[in-house]
Amino acid sequence: MMIHVVAAGETVDSIAAAYGVDPFRLAADNEVGASGALAVGQTLVVRFPELVHAVRLGDTLTSIAAEYGVSVRKLYQNNWSLGGLPALEEGMELVIAYQDPPTDSAVFNGYAYPFTDTLLLDAQTPYLTYLTPFTYGITAEGGLLPLNDDALLLSARTHGARPVLHLSSYTEEDRFDSERATLVLTDEAAQNRLISDVDALLREKGFAGIDVDFEFLPAALAVPYADFLARLRRVFGAQGYFVWAALSPKTSSAQPGLLYEAHNYAAISSSVDAVLLMTYEWGYTYQPSSYK
């Protein structure tokens, strides 16, 4: 793989010819528009196929994968232009393998709403390790609020991503709520009910683990929150599930504010298997960033 920086006068065809690759694949891999227009200074990823299959009449992704001993997920990953969809046309060329495959591994998680466009979702899930539907909130009694995530889970399983249960202090009004979090963290009966509901849902829907996202907690709940996370890890870790915690991005341990004070990095990180830093809060879509 190489990165090419577009110079004045270059086109997709001229760049493809210089590297000896298919111009149509080069354009598709880099999502170049139908006009083929490039900007000076634009970077293009140039990948070199090692093995290519020409689609025959009657071929399917499953049959092609079996023929070459690769997974359907790998075919999606090697052929961005498929958009995560199984539709094939006779004569289409699919990359079975590229030269110099990556030697390192990485883990990618993606959040998705139930209303996420299906085509967009299917185009991304082949490249995800985990897909996390947003979100299972908490009822006034401490139980789980329902979530219509069937389409998300289907896309995840179709494309080889593992689904994760997102557990948050969300309410029926679609907002994070300090009181709901306080209920679960301070009322043993409510906490027991929530854990029981989570246990049932993990089994019912086949989630791989839990991502906990309690936001806007007062400082006094820092210890109860870390203890709650540790309990989740004890209960569900013994069953083979992982437990993550989503943390607000802090610039210091003493950072003031309801979003930050109960997120004790040291205590939480020792209570869970992994943490996710929500750095998108630094430039959130729906409001100006408060950071410089």
Short mmCIF file of all heavy atoms in Angstrom, two decimals, residues 82-148:
data_model
loop_
_atom_site.label_atom_id
_atom_site.label_comp_id
_atom_site.label_asym_id
_atom_site.label_seq_id
_atom_site.Cartn_x
_atom_site.Cartn_y
_atom_site.Cartn_z
N LEU A 82 -18.26 -2.62 -2.76
CA LEU A 82 -19.46 -3.42 -2.53
C LEU A 82 -20.40 -2.73 -1.55
O LEU A 82 -21.60 -3.01 -1.52
CB LEU A 82 -19.09 -4.81 -1.99
CG LEU A 82 -18.43 -5.79 -2.96
CD1 LEU A 82 -18.06 -7.07 -2.24
CD2 LEU A 82 -19.37 -6.10 -4.13
N GLY A 83 -19.86 -1.86 -0.72
CA GLY A 83 -20.69 -1.15 0.25
C GLY A 83 -21.36 -2.06 1.26
O GLY A 83 -22.42 -1.75 1.79
N GLY A 84 -20.73 -3.22 1.53
CA GLY A 84 -21.31 -4.15 2.49
C GLY A 84 -22.52 -4.90 1.97
O GLY A 84 -23.23 -5.55 2.74
N LEU A 85 -22.78 -4.83 0.65
CA LEU A 85 -23.95 -5.48 0.06
C LEU A 85 -23.51 -6.68 -0.78
O LEU A 85 -22.44 -6.66 -1.39
CB LEU A 85 -24.73 -4.49 -0.81
CG LEU A 85 -25.24 -3.23 -0.09
CD1 LEU A 85 -25.92 -2.30 -1.07
CD2 LEU A 85 -26.19 -3.63 1.03
N PRO A 86 -24.34 -7.73 -0.84
CA PRO A 86 -23.93 -8.97 -1.52
C PRO A 86 -24.16 -8.97 -3.02
O PRO A 86 -23.85 -9.97 -3.68
CB PRO A 86 -24.80 -10.03 -0.84
CG PRO A 86 -26.06 -9.29 -0.48
CD PRO A 86 -25.61 -7.90 -0.10
N ALA A 87 -24.69 -7.90 -3.59
CA ALA A 87 -25.03 -7.88 -5.02
C ALA A 87 -23.76 -7.96 -5.88
O ALA A 87 -22.81 -7.21 -5.69
CB ALA A 87 -25.81 -6.62 -5.35
N LEU A 88 -23.76 -8.90 -6.83
CA LEU A 88 -22.64 -9.08 -7.75
C LEU A 88 -23.13 -9.02 -9.19
O LEU A 88 -24.28 -9.34 -9.48
CB LEU A 88 -21.95 -10.44 -7.51
CG LEU A 88 -21.35 -10.69 -6.13
CD1 LEU A 88 -20.79 -12.11 -6.06
CD2 LEU A 88 -20.27 -9.67 -5.81
N GLU A 89 -22.24 -8.63 -10.08
CA GLU A 89 -22.54 -8.62 -11.50
C GLU A 89 -21.49 -9.45 -12.23
O GLU A 89 -20.30 -9.43 -11.88
CB GLU A 89 -22.54 -7.20 -12.06
CG GLU A 89 -23.62 -6.30 -11.47
CD GLU A 89 -23.58 -4.90 -12.06
OE1 GLU A 89 -22.76 -4.68 -12.98
OE2 GLU A 89 -24.36 -4.05 -11.61
N GLU A 90 -21.92 -10.18 -13.23
CA GLU A 90 -21.00 -11.00 -14.00
C GLU A 90 -19.90 -10.12 -14.60
O GLU A 90 -20.18 -9.06 -15.15
CB GLU A 90 -21.76 -11.73 -15.12
CG GLU A 90 -20.91 -12.74 -15.88
CD GLU A 90 -21.71 -13.52 -16.91
OE1 GLU A 90 -22.93 -13.21 -17.06
OE2 GLU A 90 -21.14 -14.41 -17.56
N GLY A 91 -18.66 -10.57 -14.46
CA GLY A 91 -17.53 -9.82 -14.98
C GLY A 91 -16.90 -8.89 -13.97
O GLY A 91 -15.78 -8.40 -14.17
N MET A 92 -17.60 -8.60 -12.89
CA MET A 92 -17.04 -7.75 -11.82
C MET A 92 -15.78 -8.42 -11.25
O MET A 92 -15.71 -9.64 -11.11
CB MET A 92 -18.08 -7.56 -10.71
CG MET A 92 -17.59 -6.79 -9.50
SD MET A 92 -18.81 -6.85 -8.14
CE MET A 92 -20.18 -5.95 -8.88
N GLU A 93 -14.78 -7.62 -10.96
CA GLU A 93 -13.55 -8.16 -10.38
C GLU A 93 -13.51 -7.88 -8.88
O GLU A 93 -13.66 -6.74 -8.44
CB GLU A 93 -12.32 -7.54 -11.06
CG GLU A 93 -12.13 -8.01 -12.49
CD GLU A 93 -10.77 -7.62 -13.05
OE1 GLU A 93 -10.11 -6.73 -12.46
OE2 GLU A 93 -10.37 -8.19 -14.07
N LEU A 94 -13.30 -8.94 -8.12
CA LEU A 94 -13.20 -8.84 -6.66
C LEU A 94 -11.78 -9.15 -6.23
O LEU A 94 -11.17 -10.12 -6.71
CB LEU A 94 -14.16 -9.81 -5.98
CG LEU A 94 -15.65 -9.63 -6.21
CD1 LEU A 94 -16.42 -10.68 -5.42
CD2 LEU A 94 -16.09 -8.24 -5.81
N VAL A 95 -11.26 -8.36 -5.33
CA VAL A 95 -9.93 -8.63 -4.79
C VAL A 95 -10.06 -9.69 -3.70
O VAL A 95 -10.80 -9.51 -2.73
CB VAL A 95 -9.29 -7.35 -4.22
CG1 VAL A 95 -7.94 -7.67 -3.58
CG2 VAL A 95 -9.14 -6.29 -5.29
N ILE A 96 -9.36 -10.78 -3.88
CA ILE A 96 -9.35 -11.84 -2.87
C ILE A 96 -8.29 -11.54 -1.82
O ILE A 96 -8.49 -11.75 -0.63
CB ILE A 96 -9.08 -13.21 -3.51
CG1 ILE A 96 -10.07 -13.47 -4.65
CG2 ILE A 96 -9.13 -14.31 -2.47
CD1 ILE A 96 -11.52 -13.46 -4.22
N ALA A 97 -7.15 -11.03 -2.28
CA ALA A 97 -6.06 -10.71 -1.34
C ALA A 97 -5.23 -9.58 -1.92
O ALA A 97 -5.10 -9.43 -3.15
CB ALA A 97 -5.18 -11.94 -1.10
N TYR A 98 -4.68 -8.77 -1.03
CA TYR A 98 -3.78 -7.69 -1.41
C TYR A 98 -2.35 -8.04 -1.04
O TYR A 98 -2.09 -8.84 -0.14
CB TYR A 98 -4.17 -6.39 -0.68
CG TYR A 98 -5.31 -5.64 -1.32
CD1 TYR A 98 -6.60 -5.76 -0.83
CD2 TYR A 98 -5.10 -4.80 -2.41
CE1 TYR A 98 -7.65 -5.07 -1.42
CE2 TYR A 98 -6.14 -4.11 -3.00
CZ TYR A 98 -7.42 -4.25 -2.50
OH TYR A 98 -8.45 -3.57 -3.09
N GLN A 99 -1.41 -7.45 -1.76
CA GLN A 99 -0.01 -7.56 -1.38
C GLN A 99 0.22 -6.85 -0.05
O GLN A 99 -0.46 -5.89 0.27
CB GLN A 99 0.89 -6.93 -2.45
CG GLN A 99 0.81 -7.59 -3.82
CD GLN A 99 1.65 -6.86 -4.86
OE1 GLN A 99 2.50 -6.04 -4.53
NE2 GLN A 99 1.39 -7.16 -6.13
N ASP A 100 1.20 -7.31 0.69
CA ASP A 100 1.60 -6.69 1.95
C ASP A 100 0.40 -6.44 2.87
O ASP A 100 0.09 -5.29 3.22
CB ASP A 100 2.32 -5.36 1.70
CG ASP A 100 3.55 -5.54 0.83
OD1 ASP A 100 4.27 -6.53 1.03
OD2 ASP A 100 3.77 -4.69 -0.04
N PRO A 101 -0.28 -7.51 3.29
CA PRO A 101 -1.41 -7.32 4.21
C PRO A 101 -0.92 -6.79 5.55
O PRO A 101 0.26 -6.95 5.90
CB PRO A 101 -1.98 -8.74 4.37
CG PRO A 101 -0.82 -9.64 4.06
CD PRO A 101 -0.03 -8.93 3.01
N PRO A 102 -1.77 -6.13 6.30
CA PRO A 102 -1.35 -5.58 7.60
C PRO A 102 -0.82 -6.67 8.52
O PRO A 102 -1.34 -7.78 8.56
CB PRO A 102 -2.65 -4.97 8.16
CG PRO A 102 -3.51 -4.74 6.97
CD PRO A 102 -3.18 -5.82 6.00
N THR A 103 0.22 -6.34 9.26
CA THR A 103 0.81 -7.30 10.20
C THR A 103 0.36 -7.02 11.62
O THR A 103 0.53 -7.87 12.50
CB THR A 103 2.34 -7.26 10.14
OG1 THR A 103 2.78 -5.91 10.37
CG2 THR A 103 2.84 -7.71 8.77
N ASP A 104 -0.19 -5.83 11.88
CA ASP A 104 -0.67 -5.48 13.20
C ASP A 104 -2.20 -5.56 13.23
O ASP A 104 -2.86 -5.51 12.20
CB ASP A 104 -0.23 -4.07 13.60
CG ASP A 104 1.27 -3.95 13.74
OD1 ASP A 104 1.89 -4.94 14.16
OD2 ASP A 104 1.81 -2.89 13.41
N SER A 105 -2.73 -5.70 14.42
CA SER A 105 -4.18 -5.76 14.57
C SER A 105 -4.67 -4.53 15.33
O SER A 105 -3.90 -3.87 16.03
CB SER A 105 -4.60 -7.03 15.33
OG SER A 105 -4.03 -7.04 16.63
N ALA A 106 -5.94 -4.24 15.18
CA ALA A 106 -6.55 -3.11 15.87
C ALA A 106 -8.00 -3.46 16.17
O ALA A 106 -8.58 -4.35 15.55
CB ALA A 106 -6.48 -1.84 15.02
N VAL A 107 -8.57 -2.77 17.15
CA VAL A 107 -9.96 -2.99 17.53
C VAL A 107 -10.74 -1.70 17.27
O VAL A 107 -10.31 -0.62 17.68
CB VAL A 107 -10.07 -3.37 19.03
CG1 VAL A 107 -11.52 -3.44 19.46
CG2 VAL A 107 -9.37 -4.70 19.28
N PHE A 108 -11.87 -1.83 16.59
CA PHE A 108 -12.69 -0.67 16.24
C PHE A 108 -14.12 -0.89 16.74
O PHE A 108 -14.72 -1.93 16.47
CB PHE A 108 -12.70 -0.44 14.73
CG PHE A 108 -11.35 -0.15 14.16
CD1 PHE A 108 -10.58 -1.16 13.61
CD2 PHE A 108 -10.83 1.14 14.16
CE1 PHE A 108 -9.32 -0.91 13.09
CE2 PHE A 108 -9.58 1.41 13.64
CZ PHE A 108 -8.81 0.39 13.10
N ASN A 109 -14.62 0.10 17.45
CA ASN A 109 -16.00 0.07 17.92
C ASN A 109 -16.76 1.23 17.29
O ASN A 109 -16.23 2.33 17.15
CB ASN A 109 -16.06 0.19 19.45
CG ASN A 109 -17.48 0.31 19.96
OD1 ASN A 109 -18.28 -0.60 19.77
ND2 ASN A 109 -17.80 1.43 20.60
N GLY A 110 -18.00 0.98 16.93
CA GLY A 110 -18.83 2.04 16.37
C GLY A 110 -20.17 2.10 17.07
O GLY A 110 -20.80 1.07 17.33
N TYR A 111 -20.60 3.32 17.41
CA TYR A 111 -21.94 3.52 17.95
C TYR A 111 -22.92 3.76 16.80
O TYR A 111 -22.56 4.38 15.80
CB TYR A 111 -21.98 4.74 18.88
CG TYR A 111 -21.22 4.55 20.18
CD1 TYR A 111 -20.04 5.25 20.42
CD2 TYR A 111 -21.69 3.70 21.16
CE1 TYR A 111 -19.34 5.10 21.61
CE2 TYR A 111 -20.99 3.54 22.36
CZ TYR A 111 -19.83 4.24 22.58
OH TYR A 111 -19.14 4.09 23.75
N ALA A 112 -24.14 3.29 16.95
CA ALA A 112 -25.15 3.50 15.91
C ALA A 112 -26.52 3.67 16.56
O ALA A 112 -26.84 3.01 17.55
CB ALA A 112 -25.18 2.34 14.93
N TYR A 113 -27.31 4.57 15.98
CA TYR A 113 -28.68 4.77 16.43
C TYR A 113 -29.60 3.79 15.69
O TYR A 113 -29.29 3.36 14.57
CB TYR A 113 -29.13 6.19 16.13
CG TYR A 113 -28.44 7.27 16.91
CD1 TYR A 113 -27.47 8.08 16.32
CD2 TYR A 113 -28.75 7.49 18.25
CE1 TYR A 113 -26.83 9.09 17.04
CE2 TYR A 113 -28.12 8.50 18.97
CZ TYR A 113 -27.16 9.29 18.37
OH TYR A 113 -26.55 10.28 19.08
N PRO A 114 -30.76 3.47 16.27
CA PRO A 114 -31.71 2.60 15.57
C PRO A 114 -32.16 3.16 14.23
O PRO A 114 -32.54 2.40 13.33
CB PRO A 114 -32.89 2.50 16.55
CG PRO A 114 -32.28 2.74 17.89
CD PRO A 114 -31.19 3.75 17.65
N PHE A 115 -32.12 4.49 14.08
CA PHE A 115 -32.57 5.11 12.83
C PHE A 115 -31.42 5.30 11.83
O PHE A 115 -31.62 5.92 10.78
CB PHE A 115 -33.23 6.46 13.10
CG PHE A 115 -32.39 7.42 13.91
CD1 PHE A 115 -31.37 8.15 13.32
CD2 PHE A 115 -32.63 7.59 15.27
CE1 PHE A 115 -30.61 9.03 14.06
CE2 PHE A 115 -31.87 8.47 16.02
CZ PHE A 115 -30.86 9.20 15.41
N THR A 116 -30.25 4.76 12.11
CA THR A 116 -29.13 4.87 11.17
C THR A 116 -29.52 4.25 9.83
O THR A 116 -30.08 3.14 9.79
CB THR A 116 -27.88 4.16 11.73
OG1 THR A 116 -27.50 4.78 12.95
CG2 THR A 116 -26.72 4.25 10.74
N ASP A 117 -29.22 4.94 8.75
CA ASP A 117 -29.55 4.45 7.42
C ASP A 117 -28.92 3.07 7.18
O ASP A 117 -27.74 2.86 7.45
CB ASP A 117 -29.04 5.43 6.36
CG ASP A 117 -29.34 4.98 4.96
OD1 ASP A 117 -30.48 5.14 4.51
OD2 ASP A 117 -28.42 4.43 4.32
N THR A 118 -29.71 2.15 6.68
CA THR A 118 -29.26 0.77 6.52
C THR A 118 -28.07 0.66 5.57
O THR A 118 -27.13 -0.10 5.81
CB THR A 118 -30.41 -0.12 6.02
OG1 THR A 118 -31.49 -0.07 6.97
CG2 THR A 118 -29.96 -1.55 5.86
N LEU A 119 -28.11 1.41 4.47
CA LEU A 119 -27.00 1.34 3.51
C LEU A 119 -25.71 1.85 4.13
O LEU A 119 -24.63 1.27 3.93
CB LEU A 119 -27.35 2.15 2.25
CG LEU A 119 -28.46 1.58 1.38
CD1 LEU A 119 -28.74 2.51 0.20
CD2 LEU A 119 -28.09 0.19 0.87
N LEU A 120 -25.80 2.94 4.89
CA LEU A 120 -24.62 3.46 5.58
C LEU A 120 -24.11 2.45 6.60
O LEU A 120 -22.90 2.20 6.70
CB LEU A 120 -24.97 4.78 6.27
CG LEU A 120 -23.88 5.38 7.17
CD1 LEU A 120 -22.64 5.73 6.36
CD2 LEU A 120 -24.41 6.61 7.89
N LEU A 121 -25.02 1.85 7.33
CA LEU A 121 -24.64 0.87 8.36
C LEU A 121 -23.94 -0.33 7.73
O LEU A 121 -22.85 -0.74 8.18
CB LEU A 121 -25.91 0.42 9.08
CG LEU A 121 -25.73 -0.50 10.28
CD1 LEU A 121 -25.05 0.25 11.42
CD2 LEU A 121 -27.09 -1.03 10.73
N ASP A 122 -24.52 -0.89 6.68
CA ASP A 122 -23.95 -2.08 6.06
C ASP A 122 -22.59 -1.80 5.42
O ASP A 122 -21.75 -2.70 5.31
CB ASP A 122 -24.90 -2.64 5.00
CG ASP A 122 -26.11 -3.32 5.61
OD1 ASP A 122 -26.07 -3.65 6.81
OD2 ASP A 122 -27.11 -3.53 4.88
N ALA A 123 -22.38 -0.56 4.99
CA ALA A 123 -21.09 -0.21 4.39
C ALA A 123 -19.98 -0.14 5.42
O ALA A 123 -18.80 -0.32 5.08
CB ALA A 123 -21.20 1.12 3.66
N GLN A 124 -20.33 0.10 6.69
CA GLN A 124 -19.32 0.28 7.72
C GLN A 124 -19.06 -0.97 8.56
O GLN A 124 -17.94 -1.19 9.02
CB GLN A 124 -19.72 1.43 8.66
CG GLN A 124 -20.02 2.74 7.96
CD GLN A 124 -18.89 3.22 7.07
OE1 GLN A 124 -17.72 3.13 7.45
NE2 GLN A 124 -19.22 3.73 5.89
N THR A 125 -20.09 -1.76 8.81
CA THR A 125 -19.93 -2.86 9.76
C THR A 125 -18.88 -3.91 9.36
O THR A 125 -18.31 -4.54 10.26
CB THR A 125 -21.28 -3.56 10.04
OG1 THR A 125 -21.98 -3.79 8.82
CG2 THR A 125 -22.14 -2.71 10.96
N PRO A 126 -18.58 -4.13 8.08
CA PRO A 126 -17.52 -5.09 7.78
C PRO A 126 -16.16 -4.68 8.34
O PRO A 126 -15.26 -5.52 8.49
CB PRO A 126 -17.49 -5.14 6.25
CG PRO A 126 -18.85 -4.72 5.83
CD PRO A 126 -19.25 -3.69 6.83
N TYR A 127 -16.00 -3.40 8.66
CA TYR A 127 -14.71 -2.90 9.12
C TYR A 127 -14.67 -2.71 10.63
O TYR A 127 -13.66 -2.28 11.18
CB TYR A 127 -14.40 -1.57 8.43
CG TYR A 127 -14.43 -1.70 6.92
CD1 TYR A 127 -15.59 -1.42 6.21
CD2 TYR A 127 -13.32 -2.16 6.21
CE1 TYR A 127 -15.65 -1.58 4.83
CE2 TYR A 127 -13.36 -2.32 4.84
CZ TYR A 127 -14.53 -2.03 4.15
OH TYR A 127 -14.59 -2.20 2.79
N LEU A 128 -15.76 -3.03 11.32
CA LEU A 128 -15.84 -2.86 12.76
C LEU A 128 -15.58 -4.17 13.49
O LEU A 128 -15.99 -5.24 13.03
CB LEU A 128 -17.22 -2.34 13.17
CG LEU A 128 -17.63 -0.96 12.67
CD1 LEU A 128 -19.07 -0.66 13.09
CD2 LEU A 128 -16.68 0.11 13.21
N THR A 129 -14.92 -4.07 14.63
CA THR A 129 -14.80 -5.22 15.52
C THR A 129 -16.08 -5.35 16.34
O THR A 129 -16.59 -6.45 16.55
CB THR A 129 -13.60 -5.05 16.47
OG1 THR A 129 -12.45 -4.60 15.74
CG2 THR A 129 -13.29 -6.35 17.18
N TYR A 130 -16.58 -4.20 16.81
CA TYR A 130 -17.77 -4.17 17.64
C TYR A 130 -18.74 -3.10 17.10
O TYR A 130 -18.31 -2.06 16.62
CB TYR A 130 -17.43 -3.82 19.09
CG TYR A 130 -16.49 -4.80 19.76
CD1 TYR A 130 -15.14 -4.48 19.93
CD2 TYR A 130 -16.94 -6.04 20.21
CE1 TYR A 130 -14.28 -5.37 20.54
CE2 TYR A 130 -16.07 -6.93 20.81
CZ TYR A 130 -14.75 -6.60 20.97
OH TYR A 130 -13.88 -7.48 21.57
N LEU A 131 -20.03 -3.38 17.23
CA LEU A 131 -21.07 -2.40 16.94
C LEU A 131 -21.93 -2.25 18.19
O LEU A 131 -22.43 -3.24 18.74
CB LEU A 131 -21.95 -2.85 15.77
CG LEU A 131 -23.08 -1.88 15.41
CD1 LEU A 131 -22.53 -0.59 14.83
CD2 LEU A 131 -24.06 -2.52 14.42
N THR A 132 -22.10 -0.99 18.64
CA THR A 132 -22.79 -0.73 19.89
C THR A 132 -24.03 0.12 19.63
O THR A 132 -23.93 1.32 19.39
CB THR A 132 -21.85 0.01 20.87
OG1 THR A 132 -20.65 -0.76 21.03
CG2 THR A 132 -22.51 0.20 22.21
N PRO A 133 -25.23 -0.50 19.67
CA PRO A 133 -26.46 0.27 19.50
C PRO A 133 -26.65 1.24 20.66
O PRO A 133 -26.46 0.89 21.83
CB PRO A 133 -27.56 -0.81 19.51
CG PRO A 133 -26.86 -2.08 19.13
CD PRO A 133 -25.49 -1.95 19.73
N PHE A 134 -27.06 2.45 20.38
CA PHE A 134 -27.28 3.48 21.39
C PHE A 134 -28.78 3.69 21.57
O PHE A 134 -29.47 4.07 20.62
CB PHE A 134 -26.63 4.79 20.93
CG PHE A 134 -26.67 5.88 21.94
CD1 PHE A 134 -25.63 6.06 22.83
CD2 PHE A 134 -27.75 6.75 22.01
CE1 PHE A 134 -25.67 7.07 23.78
CE2 PHE A 134 -27.80 7.76 22.95
CZ PHE A 134 -26.75 7.92 23.84
N THR A 135 -29.34 3.44 22.75
CA THR A 135 -28.76 3.03 24.00
C THR A 135 -29.84 2.35 24.81
O THR A 135 -31.04 2.60 24.59
CB THR A 135 -28.18 4.22 24.80
OG1 THR A 135 -27.70 3.79 26.05
CG2 THR A 135 -29.23 5.29 25.04
N TYR A 136 -29.48 1.51 25.77
CA TYR A 136 -30.43 0.97 26.74
C TYR A 136 -30.37 1.83 27.99
O TYR A 136 -29.37 1.83 28.71
CB TYR A 136 -30.09 -0.49 27.07
CG TYR A 136 -30.50 -1.46 25.99
CD1 TYR A 136 -29.62 -1.79 24.96
CD2 TYR A 136 -31.78 -2.01 25.98
CE1 TYR A 136 -30.00 -2.67 23.96
CE2 TYR A 136 -32.17 -2.89 24.97
CZ TYR A 136 -31.28 -3.22 23.97
OH TYR A 136 -31.67 -4.08 22.96
N GLY A 137 -31.45 2.57 28.23
CA GLY A 137 -31.51 3.44 29.39
C GLY A 137 -32.14 2.75 30.58
O GLY A 137 -32.32 1.52 30.60
N ILE A 138 -32.52 3.54 31.58
CA ILE A 138 -32.99 3.02 32.86
C ILE A 138 -34.38 3.57 33.16
O ILE A 138 -34.63 4.77 33.01
CB ILE A 138 -32.03 3.41 33.99
CG1 ILE A 138 -30.62 2.89 33.68
CG2 ILE A 138 -32.50 2.87 35.33
CD1 ILE A 138 -29.56 3.40 34.64
N THR A 139 -35.28 2.69 33.60
CA THR A 139 -36.63 3.11 33.97
C THR A 139 -36.60 3.76 35.36
O THR A 139 -35.60 3.68 36.08
CB THR A 139 -37.59 1.93 34.00
OG1 THR A 139 -37.23 1.06 35.09
CG2 THR A 139 -37.55 1.15 32.69
N ALA A 140 -37.71 4.35 35.74
CA ALA A 140 -37.83 4.99 37.05
C ALA A 140 -37.72 3.97 38.18
O ALA A 140 -37.45 4.34 39.33
CB ALA A 140 -39.14 5.75 37.16
N GLU A 141 -37.90 2.68 37.87
CA GLU A 141 -37.80 1.64 38.89
C GLU A 141 -36.45 0.92 38.88
O GLU A 141 -36.20 0.02 39.68
CB GLU A 141 -38.91 0.60 38.68
CG GLU A 141 -40.32 1.12 38.89
CD GLU A 141 -40.80 1.98 37.73
OE1 GLU A 141 -40.38 1.71 36.57
OE2 GLU A 141 -41.56 2.94 37.97
N GLY A 142 -35.59 1.31 37.93
CA GLY A 142 -34.28 0.69 37.86
C GLY A 142 -34.14 -0.40 36.83
O GLY A 142 -33.09 -1.04 36.74
N GLY A 143 -35.20 -0.65 36.05
CA GLY A 143 -35.11 -1.65 35.00
C GLY A 143 -34.54 -1.07 33.71
O GLY A 143 -34.18 0.11 33.64
N LEU A 144 -34.47 -1.90 32.70
CA LEU A 144 -33.94 -1.47 31.41
C LEU A 144 -35.05 -0.93 30.52
O LEU A 144 -36.10 -1.55 30.39
CB LEU A 144 -33.27 -2.64 30.69
CG LEU A 144 -31.80 -2.94 30.97
CD1 LEU A 144 -31.36 -4.13 30.12
CD2 LEU A 144 -30.92 -1.74 30.70
N LEU A 145 -34.80 0.21 29.90
CA LEU A 145 -35.69 0.70 28.85
C LEU A 145 -35.44 -0.09 27.57
O LEU A 145 -34.30 -0.44 27.26
CB LEU A 145 -35.44 2.18 28.60
CG LEU A 145 -35.93 3.16 29.67
CD1 LEU A 145 -35.40 4.56 29.38
CD2 LEU A 145 -37.45 3.16 29.73
N PRO A 146 -36.47 -0.39 26.80
CA PRO A 146 -36.28 -1.17 25.57
C PRO A 146 -35.60 -0.36 24.48
O PRO A 146 -35.60 0.87 24.50
CB PRO A 146 -37.71 -1.55 25.18
CG PRO A 146 -38.55 -0.44 25.74
CD PRO A 146 -37.89 -0.05 27.03
N LEU A 147 -35.04 -1.06 23.50
CA LEU A 147 -34.41 -0.43 22.34
C LEU A 147 -34.68 -1.29 21.12
O LEU A 147 -34.43 -2.50 21.15
CB LEU A 147 -32.91 -0.28 22.56
CG LEU A 147 -32.11 0.36 21.41
CD1 LEU A 147 -32.49 1.83 21.25
CD2 LEU A 147 -30.61 0.22 21.65
N ASN A 148 -35.15 -0.67 20.07
CA ASN A 148 -35.42 -1.40 18.82
C ASN A 148 -34.14 -1.47 18.00
O ASN A 148 -33.92 -0.67 17.08
CB ASN A 148 -36.53 -0.72 18.03
CG ASN A 148 -36.88 -1.47 16.76
OD1 ASN A 148 -36.51 -2.64 16.60
ND2 ASN A 148 -37.60 -0.82 15.86
#
